[in-house]
Amino acid sequence: MIDSEKICYIFDVDGTLTEPREKMQDDHESIFLEWAKGKQLFISTGSDFIKIKEQITPAGLSVFKLIFCCMGNEALKPEGVMVRKFNFLVPEELKRDLKDFLDNSAFPYRTGTHFEARTGMLNFSIVGRQANPEQRKEYTNWDNHSQERLKMAQFINNKYPELEASVGGSISIDIIEKGCDKGQVINYLEGMGAKKVVFVGDKCHPGGNDYGIIRELKKSKLAFEWYNVSSPNETYKLIKDNRVFLED
Ligand SMILES: [Mg+2]
């Protein structure tokens, strides 16, 4: 499936191939399609496949061998066939701990849907996802004061070293298995026989959502180069000037 002799070019989407959440520009698409001929290309993004399809046309997507979505927890072929999906299995003890948080929080009411399994993660909310905008605001204010979400995340991170809990959005915390970020893309490709990787992203530094890729590249046996771009224009300039990259 992976041609080991060829470079694996991996691109982030938001801020790299497109402006965040925007469509790929027509002139960018033609530059990209011309350059892509004969190359082995991949996408790595935090978004899900539905959002990608809103941003990149079927012709644009067709040049990619695999599209890694949801921080690498899903891999799909351009026509939408799923080839990999990682589901986070919530440990029973964690379920009990979260239930205790839910029962014991001093926040005065609950609205329902407190646990939401998303691809590769669990989202947990004391007020619940049924909260209307006003109730959300009420919870956020209360949380700012009580630091409840931060305390819950710290509790989980201390008790479960294999998990990573973080405060996300305005009313919830996200819980993932450690390392289940974009770094999975590198492990997957290396496992499939990749030898050379070039990555282009806009958040490659620690704390950024492309950082997992850089971290795993450095740990791997792969030959690699990576480029942190400041905008899609910079990406297409790299491509146009043919400064991309390792010799094929
Ligand atoms: Mg990005």
Side-chain angles (χ1 to χ4, degrees), residues 12-16 20 44 182 201-203 209-210:
D12 168 52
V13 177
D14 289 305
T16 301
S44 154
K182 287 191 182 183
D202 70 321
K203 298 264 188 308
N209 77 353
D210 294 319

Side-chain angles (χ1 to χ4, degrees), residues 102 105 107-114 124-132 134-140 142 148-149 152 170-172:
L102 195 57
S105 165
F107 188 71
Y109 57 87
R110 311 284 183 268
T111 66
T113 316
H114 302 279
F124 173 69
S125 169
I126 293 284
V127 64
R129 307 213 63 82
Q130 304 299 323
N132 64 32
E134 208 158 298
Q135 292 168 323
R136 283 176 164 258
K137 224 171 145 195
E138 207 172 323
Y139 181 79
T140 308
W142 188 83
E148 174 174 75
R149 291 191 298 163
M152 292 191 298
S170 57
I171 58 165
S172 57

